[in-house]
């Protein structure tokens, strides 16, 4: 008891630091072989991974200034040899290897088996996209194949409760890790198909190493997934984890939560869409009802009591009767007026013989004196015109002693300048013609003689 009280009490950080110093001093750097798993490349450039074999595993860290000299793209499943120092990460008390260099030692056995099975199943057509079944848009029930203790189950149930709380969820329990997990997973799929109580299945578990997920790389499980009549969604591991079940499943989800979201309709979106449809339906019904209500009001206004309808018909009948009477009376008056006009016209066209005989007698008595006066007037006018014509007769002028002098071409000579000495002239007298020639001009006589020389016949 006294010895225990005398031992100094140290904090955890000091204990971890002492262990780290002890490991560093007792274990020199060495070459360690194993298979890379859970490789993570941090944004800082440092590598974090697990080195394992069939019986054990150890955490490793390779800092950026050393990882940059690795000459090939390291991936999970690579068989490697590390030159590393054993140590303790004091902040978390975790044993780890600090890697100084890495060299390739061949692909790991598990990864090689995984690749061989993948190629064999792909050649058999289990990965064919044409064989994939479509997921139901509104499943009646959702089945989940996983371990009841798995954190993935809580993620799936949380997502389903949030998105579609109205859809029943049925759990088909099966272990998701270990040697006997694959047959039980296969049995769970067969049981779900036999019971046929769900519309879609979710096969899920959380992330892990390739050993942790190895049950989902089982060939018999792959055939069971392909033979399932119920569409199956694989949600195994994280986004970077791929298993044979992912390739065979109808749909592969990156995480269990994503698988739940794929198989369930979004309740909020459905409610919003339903609200939109409800509002559209209300508007459509209103558009249909409004004209019907207006038509109903119009018909209601037109709807009358039978007594009112009879009274209206009687009023219309009375109006027609009055119009018929007025039309008949007007037609009769028109016919009577037309008859009177015809009578007047007939009377106007009937001859008045005594009056016409008296008129004829008067016209006969007036006709003789009128004709005599007309004849006398025309005779007087004729004499007047004859006297005027006689006065204008050129032969009468010639008879008084005048003559008409013309040139040889018949032009009347009115002045001496029209002819020249020696020109032939034709002189027309009252009784005959004379021909003469122009002699030199005599003195011009300004006036005519008052008396013409008498001829023998005067």
């Amino acid at each position: 008891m006294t010895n225990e009280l005398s031992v100094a009490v140290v904090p955890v950080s000091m204990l971890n630091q002492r262990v780290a110093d002890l490991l560093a001093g007792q274990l020199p750097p060495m070459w360690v072989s194993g298979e890379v798993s859970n490789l993570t490349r941090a944004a800082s450039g440092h590598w974090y991974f697990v080195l394992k074999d069939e019986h054990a595993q150890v955490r490793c860290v390779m800092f950026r200034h050393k990882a940059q000299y690795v000459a090939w793209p390291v991936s999970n499943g690579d068989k490697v040899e590390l030159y590393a120092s054993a140590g303790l990460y004091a902040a978390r008390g975790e044993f780890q290897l600090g890697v100084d260099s890495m060299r390739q030692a061949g692909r790991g056995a598990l990864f090689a088996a995984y690749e061989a099975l993948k190629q064999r199943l792909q050649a058999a057509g289990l990965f064919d996209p044409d064989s994939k079944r479509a997921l139901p848009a509104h499943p009646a029930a959702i089945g989940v194949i996983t371990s009841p203790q798995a954190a993935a189950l809580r993620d799936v149930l949380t997502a389903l409760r949030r998105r579609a709380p109205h859809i029943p969820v049925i759990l088909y329990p099966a272990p998701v890790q270990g040697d006997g997990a694959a047959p039980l997973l296969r049995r769970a799929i067969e049981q779900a198909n036999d019971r046929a109580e769900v519309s879609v299945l979710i096969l899920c578990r959380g992330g892990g190493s390739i050993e942790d997920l190895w049950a989902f790389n089982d060939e018999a499980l792959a055939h069971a997934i392909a033979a399932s009549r119920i569409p199956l969604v694989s949600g195994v591991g994280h986004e970077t984890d791929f298993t044979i079940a992912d390739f065979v499943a109808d749909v592969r989800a990156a995480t269990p939560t994503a698988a739940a979201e794929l198989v369930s309709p979004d309740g909020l979106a459905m409610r919003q869409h339903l609200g939109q449809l409800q509002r559209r339906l209300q508007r459509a019904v209103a558009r249909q009802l409004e004209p019907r209500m207006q038509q109903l009001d119009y018909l209601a206004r037109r709807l009358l009591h039978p007594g009112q309808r009879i009274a209206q018909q009687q009023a219309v009948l009375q109006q027609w009767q009055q119009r018929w009477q007025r039309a008949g009376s007007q037609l009769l008056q028109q016919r009577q007026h037309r008859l009177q006009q015809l009578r007047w016209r007939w009377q106007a066209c009937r001859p008045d013989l005594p009056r016409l005989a008296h008129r004829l007698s008067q016209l006969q008595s007036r006709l003789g004196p009128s004709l005599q006066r007309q004849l006398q007037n025309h005779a007087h006018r004729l004499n007047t015109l004859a006297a005027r014509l006689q006065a204008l007769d050129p032969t009468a002028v010639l008879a008084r002693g005048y003559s008409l002098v013309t040139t040889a071409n018949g032009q009347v000579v009115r002045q001496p300048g029209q002819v020249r000495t020696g020109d032939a002239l034709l002189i027309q007298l009252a009784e005959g013609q004379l021909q003469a020639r122009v002699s030199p001009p005599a003195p011009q006589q300004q006036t005519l003689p008052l008396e013409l020389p008498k001829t023998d016949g005067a």
Side-chain angles (χ1 to χ4, degrees), residues 283-453:
R283 290 193 295 268
V285 171
R287 286 194 299 269
Q288 294 292 329
L289 288 179
E290 288 172 357
R292 300 295 188 276
M293 290 187 294
Q294 292 179 355
Q295 185 178 12
L296 181 61
D297 292 340
Y298 172 72
L299 294 176
R301 289 192 297 269
R302 294 181 58 189
L303 183 63
L304 299 176
H305 189 273
Q308 293 178 335
R309 177 70 67 179
I310 294 174
Q312 290 181 352
Q313 296 296 332
Q314 288 177 347
V316 173
L317 182 61
Q318 186 176 3
Q319 291 176 357
W320 280 105
Q321 183 178 5
Q322 293 174 356
R323 292 175 62 183
W324 176 78
Q325 291 175 352
R326 288 195 299 271
S329 177
Q330 291 176 358
L331 181 61
L332 181 59
Q333 291 177 1
Q334 291 175 359
R335 296 297 171 85
Q336 290 176 349
H337 180 67
R338 177 64 175 167
L339 181 60
Q340 184 66 30
Q341 287 181 340
L342 292 175
R343 185 181 293 114
W344 289 341
R345 291 177 63 185
W346 176 76
Q347 291 177 355
C349 294
R350 183 180 179 182
D352 188 356
L353 296 178
R355 185 176 64 79
L356 293 177
H358 178 71
R359 177 67 175 166
L360 181 60
S361 178
Q362 290 179 343
L363 291 176
Q364 288 177 349
S365 62
R366 293 171 57 186
L367 179 61
S370 177
L371 289 175
Q372 188 64 31
R373 287 192 300 271
Q374 291 289 334
L375 289 175
Q376 292 175 357
N377 291 336
H378 287 301
H380 178 71
R381 180 173 176 76
L382 181 60
N383 293 331
T384 303
L385 293 175
R388 293 175 62 185
L389 181 62
Q390 184 66 27
L392 296 175
D393 185 5
T395 58
V397 177
L398 296 177
R400 292 199 299 271
Y402 291 93
S403 62
L404 179 64
V405 180
T406 61
T407 62
N409 57 7
Q411 184 179 6
V412 177
V413 178
R414 291 184 176 85
Q415 54 186 359
Q418 292 182 246
V419 296
R420 295 190 299 270
T421 302
D423 288 346
L425 298 176
L426 181 63
I427 302 172
Q428 179 68 41
L429 302 176
E431 295 179 1
Q433 295 180 344
L434 295 176
Q435 290 183 350
R437 288 190 178 275
V438 179
S439 60
Q444 185 175 4
Q445 186 176 353
Q446 298 298 329
T447 59
L448 293 176
L450 295 178
E451 295 183 0
L452 294 175

Side-chain angles (χ1 to χ4, degrees), residues 182-242:
L184 294 178
L185 290 171
R186 184 176 67 252
R187 176 58 189 146
I189 296 174
E190 295 172 351
Q191 182 183 13
N193 279 268
D194 294 339
R195 291 164 59 174
E197 55 191 351
V198 296
S199 304
V200 64
L201 287 171
I202 298 176
L203 178 64
C204 64
R205 70 146 287 161
S209 64
I210 189 171
E211 292 85 359
D212 297 335
L213 305 179
W214 193 251
F216 296 92
N217 295 323
D218 184 75
E219 184 174 3
L221 177 62
H223 285 284
I225 295 174
S228 175
R229 298 182 302 274
I230 303 173
L232 186 143
V233 177
S234 174
V236 178
H238 300 302
E239 186 173 359
T240 58
D241 297 325
F242 283 88

Side-chain angles (χ1 to χ4, degrees), residues 33-45:
S33 64
E35 182 180 319
V36 176
S37 179
N38 291 348
L39 174 63
T40 300
R41 293 179 173 87
S44 60

